Structure formats: structure tokens, C-alpha cells
Amino acid sequence: MGAAMRRIHVGNALSAFGLGFTVPYLYVYVAQVRALGAVTAGLVLAVFAMAALVVLPFAGRAIVRRGPLPVLLAALVTAALGALSLGLAGSATTVLLSAAALGAGQAVMQPALATMIVDCSTARTRSRAFATQFFLQNLGLGVGGLIGGHLVDTTRVSSFTLLFAIEAAMFLVLVVVMVTVRMPHSPRIAEVPGRSGSVRGGWRQLLGNRAMVQLCVLGFVLFFACYGQFESGLSAYGVEAAGISTSALGSALAANTAVIVVAQFAVLRFVERRRRSRVIASVGLIWALAWGVAGCAGLGHGSREMATAAFISTYALFGLGEAMLSPTVAPLVADLAPAGMAGQYNSAFALVKQLALAVGPAVGGPMGASLHAPYIVTFLLFSLGISVLALRLGRHLTDVQDKPALANSRVVAGSGASAEPMAAQA
């Protein structure tokens, strides 16, 4: 890694570490510590999602025109102000406004950092760069949540104020780190020959890229069927159907993070030699197995200990799938983007992710709590749908896009075919 990439990875770890301090305790803070009630706490979570949906289309435009670094710095300052004001807020209005600022800043960080990784990597090194990013994000979230859990005290507002102040400080430290990054020059939309400066034209071009549209559909299903269920439907199902304790839920989430941290680079070696579409299809099968194990936990007639073990295994299997996706999906978004458009493509995919994370809990939460068997069957079928969509996507990718290792082969190098024109045809 070059110096710029090292600083970017430090930035990913710091931002995740800061988020880990507050995200697990946000509901308790608003509803109980600030005594604003469950409705306001639910609105805060909704505001996070809505803020992301509002700012992400503009984030893509800004990254394309100005570059990812200035956009990231603005997002970090916004998130720091939102976090600090959230820790000091005492009324519902100030809590909601603070949450909007924090949510908007967090949402813009994702495509900005992803675009910086794209600019500082090559097609050969990109999978490893995104795998490292995902590894550090999960490690940062886990360590931040662990330390934050020892600092909070629901009887003292000041303990939560300290958490949000630490989160804001992490964002400001990240500003200092990012200011020192010297990004390699990458073309912006106005500099790319043959492309108009219209961002609207950029969106038309994106929607005209059949492979990218299919990847967005696939991404929606991925995030809807997995990430959108972690802390909503699947948790409700575990408590109501499997009868597991809240501490077991924490153990399941810890198992998920542990599998990612332990397996990420071992999985990377496996993934780098295989076609991306088939790797994603394999993830669909692994997650279908995970939902089957969850069904055994809640719909079987075993002991509570066996149900708990099965439920923890479910989260571990999801973690294995996530470790396979991190060096696969994000680099594929970058490889599908024409020169100068990586920011817009990353923002579009982040927008799809936020939509899935907003719809997933709304659908899965009620089902997981009351419709136990239909819930398992529905999301098992969604997981199998991931495999089908991935294989269909593979038919619209070039050989190099689907398997970047081929870029170094003599056959591809001597064919005279470049990936970018082929991506435009796709």
C-alpha cells in the first residue's frame, strides 16, 4: 500500500471506531436516558435513513465534480457537529436535527472513501483494498462498541454525552489525517474526452449500463435479505420464536464480527482466483443455509441451548458471506464505472444500500416477531434469488470484470480488448 491508501484505511478504522461508540446505544439514549419515548427514538432511526436518501444523489454529483477528498472532509465536519449536538440535545427537535446532520455525514463518507480507494488502487489490487476496508470497519465497530459499553451508564446523561463527544473527536481526528492525503490525479467528468459536463447525463449513462443496473438490483436484495434483518427481523425472530436471551443476541453479533475479522484474508485468497458472479452466487447459497439453520433454531423442538447455538451459527454464516462479498461487490462497482464516474457509481450503489436498509427492517421486523415460518421461508427464497441474480449478472460482465486475475494473462493482454470499452457496451 502507498501512503495515501494507508491513511485511507486509518480513516476507515477511525470512523468505524467512532460509530461503534454510539450506534448500539442510540435507541436507549433517546428513549430512556433523554426520556423522549420510543416514538421519538424510532423517528431518530428513520431520520438517519431519510437523511442518507436525500444527500446521496448530491454526493455523487459533488464527488464527480470536486473529487472525493473535499466531499469527505465536508461530510466529516458535518458528522462531527451532528454527533456533538446529539450528545447535548435535550428536546425532540434538537435530537432529530442532530440525527439528520450525523446521518447525512455518515452516508456521504461511504462513497467518498470508496472512491478514494478506487483512485489509489488498480484493478489488480482493488479487491484486497476493499477487503482491508471491510476488515478494519468491522474491527473498529467491534472495539468501539465494546469500549462504549463499559463507559455508558443509563442513570447518567453525562456518560452518553462523553460517548458522542468521543465520536465527534474521532471524526475531527480523521479530518486531520485526511488533509495529509495526497491523492493521485484521476479524471473528473469535465476532463473526460467525449463526455458532457452534465451530471444528469451521467445518471442517464449509469441507467443505460445494463450490468450496473443488474448489480444495483442484486445489491438491493443482498442488503435487504441480510443487513436489513440483523437488528430488526432476525433479532425479533430470535427472541420470539427461538426464545433466546438478549445476551445471546449480543453473542450472535459478536460471532458475526469475529468470523469476518478472522476469515477475511483467508477468504480473500479464495475469492481472488474465482469469478465474481460465482462468488456472489455462493454467498446466496451460504445465506440460504443460514436461514435454514435459523429455522431450526426457532421452529424446531430442541432445547434452549441448542436453539441459542443454532442462532449464533446463523450470524456466523452471515459473517462468512459478508467476508466473501467485501472484495467482490465494491470493486465490481468501480470496474463498471467509466473514467471519472466512480464517485457517481459509488453513490448510486450506496443509495441502493440505504433503500434496502430502510425497507428491510420495515418488512422483516413485523414478520420476524409474529409470522415465524413465513419469515424464514421468505428470506431463504430471497437468498436463493441472490444466486440466480448473480449468475444472470455474470452473463453481462466482460471476462476481466468478472475475473480480474485474467487481466494479467497473455490471452487477454494479447487480444487487444480493453475492459473499459467493453464495460460501455455492457
Side-chain angles (χ1 to χ4, degrees):
M1 293 186 296
M5 185 67 82
R6 284 196 296 271
R7 286 176 171 82
I8 292 168
H9 285 321
V10 168
N12 273 301
L14 286 174
S15 63
F17 181 70
L19 292 174
F21 267 95
T22 60
V23 169
Y25 316 108
L26 188 59
Y27 183 91
V28 174
Y29 169 70
V30 176
Q32 298 178 13
V33 177
R34 288 295 183 182
L36 296 176
V39 174
T40 303
L43 286 174
V44 166
L45 298 176
V47 164
F48 268 91
M50 291 303 300
L53 296 179
V54 169
V55 300
L56 279 172
F58 300 100
R61 173 185 301 184
I63 292 171
V64 165
R65 290 187 178 276
R66 303 296 180 187
L69 183 54
V71 175
L72 175 63
L73 296 177
L76 288 169
V77 172
T78 302
L81 292 174
L84 188 60
S85 60
L86 191 57
L88 299 172
S91 67
T93 301
T94 52
V95 163
L96 291 173
L97 290 174
S98 302
L102 180 57
Q106 288 178 11
V108 175
M109 286 181 212
Q110 299 176 34
L113 282 167
T115 305
M116 291 176 73
I117 291 175
V118 171
D119 290 346
C120 293
S121 63
T122 64
R124 185 176 59 84
T125 62
R126 199 160 289 150
S127 293
R128 185 166 293 271
F130 277 103
T132 303
Q133 178 201 32
F134 191 67
F135 168 83
L136 291 173
Q137 282 179 340
N138 280 274
L139 188 61
L141 284 170
V143 174
L146 183 63
I147 297 175
H150 286 85
L151 294 177
V152 294
D153 182 351
T154 56
T155 64
R156 293 190 301 115
V157 175
S158 59
S159 67
F160 284 86
T161 303
L162 175 62
L163 288 192
F164 285 104
I166 292 173
E167 181 180 26
M170 288 298 101
F171 291 140
L172 293 178
V173 169
L174 183 50
V175 169
V176 176
V177 172
M178 289 294 107
V179 166
T180 66
V181 173
R182 295 293 177 263
M183 294 292 296
H185 178 76
S186 59
R188 304 290 163 229
I189 191 168
E191 303 170 358
V192 179
R195 305 202 192 284
S196 69
S198 170
V199 176
R200 184 178 301 175
W203 280 105
R204 283 198 300 268
Q205 184 184 23
L206 187 152
L207 294 174
N209 187 329
R210 189 172 180 181
M212 184 60 190
V213 171
Q214 289 195 347
L215 181 58
C216 286
V217 172
L218 174 59
F220 181 88
V221 178
L222 282 168
F223 291 110
F224 176 77
C226 176
Y227 299 92
Q229 305 307 314
F230 270 3
E231 297 176 5
S232 57
L234 193 53
S235 297
Y237 170 84
V239 172
E240 299 294 339
I244 68 170
S245 64
T246 52
S247 62
L249 280 177
S251 298
L253 288 168
N256 175 266
T257 302
V259 168
I260 292 170
V261 171
V262 172
Q264 181 64 82
F265 292 102
V267 167
L268 177 62
R269 294 177 183 176
F270 170 83
V271 168
E272 284 180 323
R273 300 185 182 95
R274 285 159 180 82
R275 291 188 176 274
R276 288 167 168 169
S277 57
R278 294 177 185 175
V279 170
I280 301 172
S282 300
V283 171
L285 297 178
I286 291 172
W287 285 357
L289 175 61
W291 285 109
V293 173
C296 294
L299 305 177
H301 302 285
S303 65
R304 184 174 180 177
E305 289 74 16
M306 296 211 37
T308 299
F311 199 74
I312 292 174
S313 298
T314 297
Y315 275 78
L317 286 168
F318 276 122
L320 178 60
E322 292 174 75
M324 294 171 67
L325 288 177
S326 62
T328 306
V329 175
L332 181 54
V333 174
D335 289 350
L336 289 174
M341 293 291 289
Q344 187 134 13
Y345 275 56
N346 283 322
S347 295
F349 197 76
L351 181 62
V352 169
K353 175 182 177 180
Q354 289 297 328
L355 282 170
L357 294 180
V359 175
V363 174
M367 287 186 69
S370 57
L371 303 174
H372 302 148
Y375 176 70
I376 293 297
V377 171
T378 297
F379 284 92
L380 190 151
L381 293 175
F382 267 110
S383 297
L384 294 176
I386 290 170
S387 299
V388 174
L389 289 171
L391 293 176
R392 289 186 61 186
L393 171 65
R395 294 199 290 268
H396 296 280
L397 300 176
T398 68
D399 287 338
V400 173
Q401 288 169 348
D402 202 15
K403 191 176 181 181
L406 293 175
N408 297 324
S409 72
R410 294 181 179 179
V411 175
V412 175
S415 66
S418 68
E420 189 174 327
M422 296 172 76
Q425 294 172 11

